[in-house]
Amino acid sequence: MHSRDWVDSGASSPGVGTTEGARADVLGTGSAGADGGLVDGVTRLGAGGGGPEAPVAWRVPAALSARVPAEQRGSGRDDVRLLVSRGCAVSHHAFRELPGQLRAGDVLVVNTSMTLPAAVNGRVGGERVVVHFSTRGEDGRWAVELRAPGGPGVTGPRPGGPAGAVVRLPGGRALVLEEPLGPSAGARLWWARAPEPVPELLRRYGRPIRYGYTERDQPLSAYRTVFAAPSPDGNGSAEMPSAARPFTAALVAELVRRGVLFAPLSLHTGVASAEVHEPPYPERFAVPAATAWLVNAVRAARGGDLASGGRVIAVGTTAVRALESAAGDDGVVRPAGGWTDLVVTPRRGVRVVDGLLTGLHEPQASHLLMLEAVAGREALRRGYEAALRERYLWHEFGDVHLILPDEERNAPSCSSNDW
């Protein structure tokens, strides 16, 4: 999944739907009103980069973008590198060595959302556009982004709207843009009305969303994980929950054989902001009762002894967002579903997640705030310095980062998220 840039609203609320204006927009119930070389140090962004909790920034050479899937570079999906941060200690592995980094009783929380072929060609008058379908609202409308065709298979930004514009689609279909999400000036996403079920439209005419750092178009299967499962209503993710991409059926079987547990949930991702940083849009999620029970049981069984008991390890930032949205102030996870606008930051912290398997995120991507909430600032800095020094690969087809707690030393200089 392309980095989805979240910024902290400053709220520390744990819950679902805490930003009522944004929630009303997504539910459809209200009126929407360069190649800089390797790292030479780590800097904290100022107010212009996202506020007092802006993420740590690195410069990532373009050469470190993964341009094709791992199975086209090597021997299979799991032929990627695994950076492990255990507190401030960093080690380097092949992803196939993941079972050796976990232990019996650990639970991996995985996102089962299936990636949709969410990009469709269209026209507004005489102008060619590409429609990125993001999120279905409760009233049947879809949030969409219109993009300008660029090079082969890629797109660039385009002004949103205008209201009332008709977007002609293949097969004689059409969308009607109705209103922007958020302020109309410069709005990227717009609510649009489609005359037929969008999942069927995408199945017939859509293709995966692709970004300019990739080398060529890939089949939809390249953007789906081993955990992906069809949703009864045909909904899914506009972009792949990519942290789980390196898993294979054989690796899952080996983890199960070793006593590692799996807990499924779903969070349907929207379209990323590829050019600018934006506040997050709410996303639809579901944490089933069985997953809530398993996570609570693992945490209860270990008591306060994290060093010997099972750990809750989220596979991807989407899994963190969904699971933490279902957790109360008491740290108990309850079955939950609907919409979440939760943004996990160091100030808010995590209540349930002990570790995280994730991709490597771009400079200024506010995913880094979530990583800092899990790992601590110093551990995150050391991990990214090592990733750059050892030339790990970024983006959805790239390498992955396993963040685990430092259970032996629990050094305050590594794990503290205090400001």
Side-chain angles (χ1 to χ4, degrees):
M1 186 175 88
H2 180 80
S3 176
R4 298 164 54 252
D5 297 325
W6 298 348
V7 298
D8 182 18
S9 65
S12 58
S13 172
V16 179
T18 54
T19 305
E20 292 302 324
R23 177 179 167 84
D25 280 349
V26 167
L27 295 179
T29 56
S31 176
D35 254 6
L38 294 183
V39 67
D40 59 359
V42 179
T43 58
R44 173 73 45 184
L45 297 182
E53 286 197 82
V56 175
W58 294 269
R59 291 201 296 270
V60 182
L64 299 189
S65 293
R67 301 190 182 282
V68 297
E71 56 270 29
Q72 296 174 22
R73 304 190 305 262
S75 60
R77 278 191 173 222
D78 57 355
D79 194 6
V80 299
R81 300 170 72 188
L82 175 67
L83 175 72
V84 177
S85 292
R86 207 177 291 268
C88 283
V90 177
S91 57
H92 305 281
H93 307 268
F95 185 76
R96 297 187 181 101
E97 299 173 28
L98 177 64
Q101 302 301 312
L102 303 177
R103 61 187 184 222
D106 285 343
V107 56
L108 294 178
V109 182
V110 297
N111 187 358
T112 61
S113 181
M114 181 171 281
T115 309
L116 299 175
V120 178
N121 292 336
R123 284 185 177 273
V124 179
E127 178 191 5
R128 293 173 56 234
V129 297
V130 176
V131 184
H132 287 179
F133 286 83
S134 181
T135 305
R136 184 182 67 82
E138 294 293 346
D139 60 359
R141 297 186 299 175
W142 276 73
V144 301
E145 179 184 18
L146 300 190
R147 305 275 295 179
V154 300
T155 63
R158 173 196 180 277
V166 176
V167 185
R168 301 294 178 185
L169 301 175
R173 279 85 173 165
L175 289 175
V176 179
L177 302 184
E178 294 191 345
E179 59 186 356
L181 276 73
S184 58
R188 180 174 64 92
L189 296 176
W190 281 66
W191 285 117
R193 185 78 61 180
E196 65 178 77
V198 167
E200 174 62 18
L201 176 76
L202 300 182
R203 187 186 68 78
R204 296 186 65 181
Y205 302 108
R207 63 185 181 276
I209 291 174
R210 177 188 160 197
Y211 291 100
Y213 50 77
T214 56
E215 186 174 286
R216 56 183 176 269
D217 287 343
Q218 298 291 339
L220 182 58
S221 59
Y223 290 90
R224 287 179 170 171
T225 74
V226 71
F227 304 110
S231 174
D233 58 6
N235 287 325
S237 288
E239 298 183 357
M240 173 176 54
S242 57
R245 191 184 189 281
F247 284 89
T248 63
L251 184 63
V252 171
E254 174 62 16
L255 288 164
V256 171
R257 188 186 71 80
R258 291 180 178 231
V260 175
L261 308 170
F262 286 85
L265 50 70
S266 67
L267 184 139
H268 298 321
T269 68
V271 173
S273 170
E275 287 82 27
V276 298
H277 303 290
E278 294 181 346
Y281 291 97
E283 293 170 312
R284 190 191 300 267
F285 82 107
V287 177
T291 290
W293 180 88
L294 179 57
V295 169
N296 291 333
V298 166
R299 287 169 54 83
R302 76 177 188 220
D305 188 7
L306 185 61
S308 60
R311 300 162 297 185
V312 178
I313 301 169
V315 178
T317 58
T318 60
V320 176
R321 194 182 199 200
L323 192 62
E324 291 287 328
S325 294
D329 293 343
D330 56 1
V332 174
V333 179
R334 296 171 177 84
W339 298 89
T340 178
D341 59 7
L342 175 64
V343 182
V344 177
T345 67
R347 181 186 302 159
R348 189 266 185 191
V350 289
R351 296 169 181 167
V352 179
V353 172
D354 302 308
L356 171 61
L357 180 70
T358 183
L360 293 163
H361 301 285
E362 296 94 330
Q364 301 184 33
S366 46
H367 278 309
L368 296 173
L369 295 172
M370 180 186 289
L371 271 60
E372 188 172 329
V374 176
R377 185 185 309 168
E378 180 63 15
L380 186 61
R381 183 185 69 81
R382 293 192 187 190
Y384 270 72
E385 285 183 340
L388 288 161
R389 185 171 57 249
E390 299 298 324
R391 303 191 69 80
Y392 278 69
L393 296 181
W394 260 248
H395 301 302
E396 64 265 35
F397 298 141
D399 299 317
V400 287
H401 185 192
L402 177 62
I403 297 171
L404 295 172
D406 182 351
E407 295 160 359
E408 295 182 2
R409 296 188 299 273
N410 195 25
S413 62
C414 288
S415 61
S416 174
N417 292 317
D418 293 337
W419 292 85

